Amino acid sequence: MGLRRVTIVDGGSLETGAVPGVAVLWGKSNAGGEPHLLVAHLLDTAAVAEVLWDRYLAPSFTQQVDASCGGRGRDLFVLVAGLHDVGKASPAFQSKDEVLAQRVRDSGLTWPPLTRTGAGRWHHTLAGAHLLRRALRSAGWSRQSRSWVLPLVAGHHGVVPDASRWSEPPERGAQGPGRWPAAQDALVAWVAGALELDLKSAEPSSAPARGVQLALVGAVIMADWIASNDQHFPGIAQLDDVSMERSRHRAHEAWRHLGLTGGWQVSRLSSGPGTFERRFGKPPRAAQTDAVALAEQMEAPGLLLLEAPMGEGKTEAALAAVEVLARRFGATGVFVGMPTQATSDPMFTRVRTWLRSVDPDVPLALLHGKRQFNPEWRALLDQGRFCGVDDFGMDDSYGTSAPVPATDRPGQAPAEWFLGRKRGLLVPATVGTVDQLLHAATRTRHVMLRHTGLAGRVVVLDEVHAYDVYMSQFLFEALRWLAQQQVPVVLLSATLPPDLRARLVRAYLQGATRRRDTGVEGLPHTTGYPRATSVCVTGEGASFDVAVSAPWRPSMTVQVQVLDEAPMAGPDDVARLVLEAVTDGGCVLVVRNTVARAQQTYLALRDALGDDVVLLHARLTAGERADRTQRLLDALGPPVAASGPGRPRRLVVVATQLAEQSFDVDVDLLVTDLAPIDLLLQRAGRLHRHDRPPAARPVRVRNPKVVVAGMRRSATGPPDLPPGSEAVYGRYLLLRAAALVTGADGGAGWSVPADVPHLVSRGYGEDPQWPSTWQDAGSDARAEWDTEQERRADNAQSYLLGGPSDLSKDTLDGLHARATAPLDDDDAVAAVVRDGEPSVEVVLVQRRDEGGYLTLDGRSLGPGGEAVSDPSLLQTVLAATIRLPAVKVLTSAAQTELRPLPGWTADPWLGRARALVLNTEYTARLGGYALRYDRELGLLHEREGRR
């Protein structure tokens, strides 16, 4: 191999007698104005990996690597990072720059002419795995060890290929003839020597779980990207200037100047009975105490399900459990996933307040596509010197913008480096949409970075009942990978169907045991409520525990009334009922299943109620929707001090499903379209949500009542339902809910929350309970539902990162062999985890009659929109972002026809946005549709030529 010709001296420098060519092999043609030797970049990356292991990676993760390496996990990780680009020592790469290639040839490392196709197919990731396999085999590594370590190198560009692709180069000469093997082996030995490692002794004793391997690949990528920042790692062109000592100095300085940091210190986490009150300023309720107790009793990292009524304090219980699980199992951060952007924002505030109490210096990030509209997030970034931060995703893979010294980074503000594309989950504490987690379950490029961010954290997911069958496949897949990484997961729901509970538990157990056929036979079938369930796997097998708590507030009786409403009739019946209910005042929530129905209902009430009616749905601009949401939370939130503004005497909110989740408003009466029973109960959670004196609620609405519209009963069969409701939820679940609602109409009502588990079980159990006259129609609906559910679940399978069938695999080999999911398009990846026609986001502007553009409120944007350089105008334009209806021809036209305004190219987000230009009447035509933006109603669309 020629390794005897390489001598390593103190500090890792190379003495004379080295194999010719090693001193001129280049890794980067231009790093800050100078070429960068390959050996220098390899040691830089190894040095960064050392810092990552010591200061960033969580003990809960590093302990798993150590367990596979006889306690030498750090050595293995640093070695792999140091050898990640060793494949650049090949003609296929060295020939890319003609000037530098000539220096390599002059050193004696030559190659025959290469075709562009052959050289291009022999990517340095493949070449690296190929030559490293030879070196490790010669060093005495077993096939088992090589089989899981080589994909760490082959996958460091974000895609793990099949091992067959690195077995042999596609063209003779691409890997290097003649003296090349000796030079390549010398390079491997040089790196190992600089790290003071013997290749044989660095061999791992066993393979960790695939989830751990995947997170290791992401950590290698992270080290590579940091070491590729040429401001902190400028090029070194002379071998005499290369040493491990110098690389370590560069790595530590880069870490400090970039302001990077890990999560909290596990040793600083609190324990004991007073912790909850210190964190939240109040003693725990029974359900919260039980949740913390179960977390303390879990024998291993596992799954904790918290099921409790709305307003019971599940969020505080979850955060308290996070601290317990992190302390016990060595996690150093948290990810909290919410179903929507709207629910993520208030959760960000709550988590930030809690995190200040745990450790005020832990960085926290908000992760969703509209975070620039969140004033708290913007203010957090503005606390430090974040000049040039691209909050919308940097295109630069390495983050080469101006350095931000750590001393300038305020507590909780994430370092600028973390704000680059694909890096959000690397921030130690994050709050965002559940999509961030679901994307970690897709077979996409750089998916391993998401796993590096999740490994060593505690994951909290709220409203887990809200995911349909398609999204649930990605949730189950994510749970499998998290279980492999021994990541504790806390799931929250007010209404969890029994079958879904079992499937969530089964998915986690599949990952923990790496067996597809894992059952949930030991899962207790307890009907109590609130309820906490813990699941973990030890050497003895699966362990289950359940705690049933007394509810914080006694159950209240909710009257149920059906308001028959013809499917295609207007909203007049609902309007009459609402107007009568608020004759003497009162606060009412009306929930419609589609935007169109909500808009029509609002119009029917507007003339009579004026400013006392508010419309809220997803087809308002981002700014208008945020303003209305905040107004409603201020008006209808928890009781305030006597000096506060107080609750309005009369207010009617007409909303879509936005009002179902994490919408902390308290209303006197709920009028809702028929929906599946769990969602009806979610909506009912806004009813008499907060304790108020009886006199605070007018007599007509003093007793809690749910009025169910959106259905018309029939004497001879099942009810008629609006097509829009069926399109959203499916006929089968609506009929099951209709049977429960019809049976309760005018009766004793529902006891909430006591009846919640029973109602949800009846609405989702195997044996539908409905009148005999519904049987034929119900059976047809069931068959159609089962077929559709199976189809949608199958559709998701092709995009899953691995799937249940891969659980028995030992390595990452071929993880991306089936590249069905889009690899780089962020919008397309986002659409992958949400079924149905993808919607398109646009920015609304006006065109001036005399030329140029205006904001929606009439401010000039200049001839080409360039006035967005004014920060106030920029925020106004960003606030005019809106999603188009998910109509195929409309979204297709938007994708092909809409572009940014000419003057937006310099802005990192607007430069990629689609501008929908309205005329001065706020109308436009697109894809055969007439569009109009109404300041009250939001976006209206109608097919052109339709009456």
Side-chain angles (χ1 to χ4, degrees):
M1 293 176 57
L3 298 184
R4 291 188 300 274
R5 302 172 62 186
V6 180
T7 304
I8 306 299
V9 298
D10 291 342
S13 58
L14 190 65
E15 268 192 351
T16 57
V19 174
V22 173
V24 294
L25 290 172
W26 58 277
K28 297 183 181 298
S29 60
N30 185 347
E34 287 281 344
H36 198 31
L37 288 178
L38 177 55
V39 289
H41 175 58
L42 295 181
L43 292 195
D44 286 344
T45 307
V48 173
E50 291 178 334
V51 180
L52 284 175
W53 185 276
D54 297 338
R55 302 189 187 181
Y56 178 81
L57 297 177
S60 60
F61 176 71
T62 58
Q63 288 165 8
Q64 295 178 75
V65 184
D66 273 337
S68 297
C69 300
R72 298 186 62 186
R74 184 180 188 272
D75 289 346
L76 178 70
F77 171 56
V78 173
L79 178 66
V80 172
L83 295 173
H84 77 287
D85 265 354
V86 72
K88 289 183 176 179
S90 64
F93 182 87
Q94 295 295 313
S95 62
K96 290 178 179 291
D97 184 291
E98 184 55 41
V99 174
L100 297 176
Q102 189 57 51
R103 293 181 58 196
V104 177
R105 291 192 190 96
D106 291 345
S107 74
L109 296 175
T110 61
W111 56 88
L114 301 174
T115 66
R116 179 175 299 181
T117 300
R121 289 171 58 195
W122 195 233
H123 192 268
H124 71 268
T125 54
L126 304 176
H130 178 80
L131 69 89
L132 192 56
R133 179 180 60 177
R134 182 184 68 224
L136 296 180
R137 185 168 51 198
S138 297
W141 279 39
S142 68
R143 177 187 295 272
Q144 179 189 25
S145 297
R146 298 195 308 269
S147 66
W148 78 263
V149 170
L150 293 179
L152 307 186
V153 172
H156 83 267
H157 267 240
V159 175
V160 183
D162 189 275
S164 61
R165 294 195 57 201
W166 68 70
S167 58
E168 291 296 336
E171 181 174 307
R172 187 173 179 272
Q175 180 62 27
R179 306 174 73 176
W180 276 98
Q184 293 160 348
D185 292 340
L187 187 61
V188 173
W190 201 96
V191 172
L195 296 172
E196 300 180 353
L197 295 176
D198 174 71
L199 277 184
K200 175 56 181 173
S201 64
E203 180 183 5
S205 55
S206 61
R210 291 172 79 234
V212 177
Q213 297 173 33
L214 190 62
L216 271 176
V217 181
V220 171
I221 294 173
M222 192 176 176
D224 181 24
W225 284 8
I226 294 173
S228 296
N229 184 319
D230 57 28
Q231 292 185 344
H232 300 293
F233 297 89
I236 298 177
Q238 301 299 321
L239 190 61
D240 290 343
D241 297 328
V242 178
S243 71
M244 194 63 207
E245 180 182 6
R246 182 174 183 180
S247 288
R248 285 179 174 136
H249 176 76
R250 283 152 63 104
H252 283 274
E253 285 298 295
W255 189 265
R256 182 174 68 86
H257 281 281
L258 288 172
L260 299 174
T261 184
W264 54 63
Q265 295 293 316
V266 174
S267 60
R268 294 174 58 183
L269 298 177
S270 297
S271 61
T275 301
F276 191 97
E277 193 161 358
R278 287 196 301 273
R279 296 289 181 248
F280 305 107
K282 53 189 175 183
R285 298 166 182 166
Q288 295 165 335
T289 298
D290 288 344
V292 172
L294 281 188
E296 288 281 10
Q297 296 165 14
M298 291 174 68
E299 299 179 61
L303 188 67
L304 183 64
L305 294 96
L306 307 183
E307 301 171 63
M310 294 67 71
E312 189 74 20
K314 292 189 294 295
T315 298
E316 289 84 358
L319 295 178
V322 165
E323 188 167 0
V324 171
L325 295 169
R327 171 176 49 79
R328 296 190 62 231
F329 302 120
T332 58
V334 64
F335 167 71
V336 180
M338 303 297 293
T340 64
Q341 295 173 355
T343 55
S344 298
D345 285 344
M347 183 58 70
F348 177 70
T349 300
R350 298 175 72 177
V351 171
R352 188 182 179 199
T353 301
W354 165 77
L355 189 59
R356 283 197 195 101
S357 176
V358 175
D359 188 336
D361 293 325
V362 173
L364 173 67
L366 178 62
L367 302 179
H368 64 69
K370 294 291 190 309
R371 65 181 178 178
Q372 68 270 25
F373 301 121
N374 183 294
E376 186 174 5
W377 169 250
R378 298 299 299 177
L380 180 61
L381 295 188
D382 289 343
Q383 290 176 16
R385 294 197 296 111
F386 285 83
C387 302
V389 168
D390 173 2
D391 189 30
F392 313 102
M394 291 187 292
D395 288 326
D396 175 11
S397 295
Y398 307 117
T400 56
S401 52
V404 180
T407 54
D408 289 347
R409 184 187 65 80
Q412 294 194 301
E416 179 182 343
W417 189 89
F418 285 124
L419 300 179
R421 293 179 65 235
K422 304 183 180 182
R423 304 181 207 168
L425 281 176
L426 295 173
V427 180
T430 50
V431 177
T433 55
V434 71
D435 302 62
Q436 303 294 327
L437 176 76
L438 301 185
H439 291 167
T442 61
R443 196 170 52 260
T444 46
R445 186 182 295 276
H446 292 120
V447 66
M448 54 281 293
L449 282 172
R450 297 183 183 274
H451 286 265
T452 305
L454 292 168
R457 310 284 188 250
V458 180
V459 169
V460 179
L461 302 179
D462 200 2
E463 312 278 10
V464 292
H465 61 275
Y467 314 138
D468 61 21
V469 65
Y470 182 87
M471 291 178 66
S472 293
Q473 305 310 307
F474 297 99
L475 176 57
F476 300 150
E477 177 71 357
L479 290 175
R480 296 182 193 106
W481 286 92
L482 292 173
Q484 286 189 33
Q485 296 157 357
Q486 297 185 24
V487 173
V489 178
V490 184
L491 303 180
L492 311 181
S493 178
T495 52
L496 199 59
D499 179 64
L500 177 56
R501 183 189 305 115
R503 297 181 73 186
L504 291 167
V505 170
R506 181 180 293 110
Y508 196 91
L509 290 178
Q510 284 177 330
T513 62
R514 297 174 61 186
R515 289 174 47 204
R516 182 174 186 172
D517 59 353
T518 297
V520 292
E521 293 78 14
L523 182 64
H525 298 287
T526 305
T527 58
Y529 187 73
R531 165 176 51 212
T533 306
S534 68
V535 183
C536 64
V537 174
T538 65
E540 304 299 320
S543 174
F544 305 92
D545 203 354
V546 174
V548 176
S549 314
W552 171 58
R553 294 193 303 176
S555 291
M556 65 179 179
T557 299
V558 177
Q559 297 298 318
V560 179
Q561 174 187 340
V562 174
L563 176 64
D564 285 303
E565 188 180 30
M568 303 307 292
D572 292 346
D573 291 340
V574 166
R576 278 193 294 270
L577 182 144
V578 170
L579 291 174
E580 181 180 351
V582 298
T583 299
D584 303 318
C587 299
V588 179
L589 173 62
V590 181
V591 181
R592 295 298 214 176
N593 289 341
T594 66
V595 172
R597 287 173 66 81
Q599 290 169 329
Q600 293 162 6
T601 304
Y602 170 82
L603 287 174
L605 293 167
R606 182 180 60 181
D607 290 343
L609 295 177
D611 293 340
D612 290 343
V613 59
V614 178
L615 176 64
L616 183 65
H617 57 72
R619 223 167 287 159
L620 297 161
T621 61
E624 182 63 31
R625 176 175 159 184
D627 289 345
R628 293 187 191 184
T629 300
Q630 191 58 55
R631 281 170 48 205
L632 294 172
L633 292 174
D634 292 342
L636 300 175
V640 296
S643 58
R647 196 165 187 256
R649 187 187 74 85
R650 182 177 72 174
L651 183 62
V652 175
V653 181
V654 181
T656 55
Q657 293 90 334
L658 295 180
E660 274 177 16
Q661 300 161 347
S662 302
F663 190 51
D664 190 10
V665 298
D666 170 23
V667 298
D668 306 317
L669 173 68
L670 171 67
V671 182
T672 173
D673 277 347
L674 180 69
I677 189 62
D678 56 330
L679 302 184
L680 280 181
L681 293 168
Q682 281 287 120
R683 296 173 187 183
R686 320 306 139 191
L687 189 61
H688 290 225
R689 186 178 178 93
H690 300 299
D691 289 329
R692 301 182 188 276
R697 303 187 195 272
V699 174
R700 293 173 185 264
V701 290
R702 185 158 296 169
N703 297 318
K705 179 190 288 188
V706 175
V707 178
V708 180
M711 58 180 284
R712 184 176 63 181
R713 288 171 290 187
S714 168
T716 58
D720 297 326
L721 305 173
S725 294
E726 290 197 27
V728 173
Y729 298 116
R731 182 170 175 79
Y732 174 61
L733 292 184
L734 291 177
L735 288 181
R736 297 197 66 167
L740 295 173
V741 168
T742 302
D745 179 38
W750 293 333
S751 181
V752 178
D755 287 345
V756 167
H758 178 62
L759 289 168
V760 173
S761 180
R762 289 180 62 192
Y764 284 90
E766 276 301 310
D767 298 319
Q769 300 177 25
W770 44 39
S772 58
T773 55
W774 298 18
Q775 190 62 46
D776 291 343
S779 297
D780 291 344
R782 171 68 180 268
E784 182 180 348
W785 170 259
D786 288 343
T787 300
E788 179 66 7
Q789 296 295 93
E790 184 176 353
R791 181 192 66 81
R792 297 181 68 200
D794 287 345
N795 286 348
Q797 296 301 312
S798 61
Y799 299 110
L800 295 182
L801 179 57
S805 60
D806 283 359
L807 285 167
S808 61
K809 291 185 176 180
D810 295 323
T811 76
L812 297 176
D813 176 22
L815 184 70
H816 286 85
R818 297 176 297 120
T820 305
L823 294 180
D824 285 311
D825 187 331
D826 289 346
D827 289 337
V829 172
V832 161
V833 299
R834 292 184 181 263
D835 199 12
E837 190 65 35
S839 58
V840 173
E841 195 170 73
V842 298
V843 180
L844 302 181
V845 296
Q846 294 184 78
R847 190 191 304 277
R848 301 179 60 170
D849 291 337
E850 60 271 28
Y853 300 93
L854 301 169
T855 64
L856 284 187
D857 59 3
R859 300 170 66 187
S860 175
L861 290 173
E866 58 279 346
V868 292
S869 57
D870 178 340
S872 66
L873 275 176
L874 174 61
Q875 289 304 308
T876 300
V877 171
L878 292 175
T881 305
I882 195 169
R883 282 204 174 270
L884 296 178
V887 178
K888 186 172 184 178
V889 294
L890 190 57
T891 55
S892 177
Q895 290 169 334
T896 57
E897 299 176 23
L898 301 185
R899 298 287 183 272
L901 295 186
W904 291 356
T905 55
D907 184 86
W909 191 81
L910 286 178
R912 297 193 293 267
R914 295 181 173 92
L916 178 61
V917 181
L918 309 176
N919 60 25
T920 54
E921 300 298 321
Y922 297 96
T923 66
R925 288 180 170 81
L926 182 68
Y929 277 80
L931 305 176
R932 179 169 68 89
Y933 189 74
D934 184 285
R935 301 302 291 266
E936 284 188 88
L937 301 176
L939 189 67
L940 305 169
H941 69 291
E942 187 174 32
R943 184 178 291 279
E944 291 182 308
R946 179 180 177 183
R947 286 184 176 272

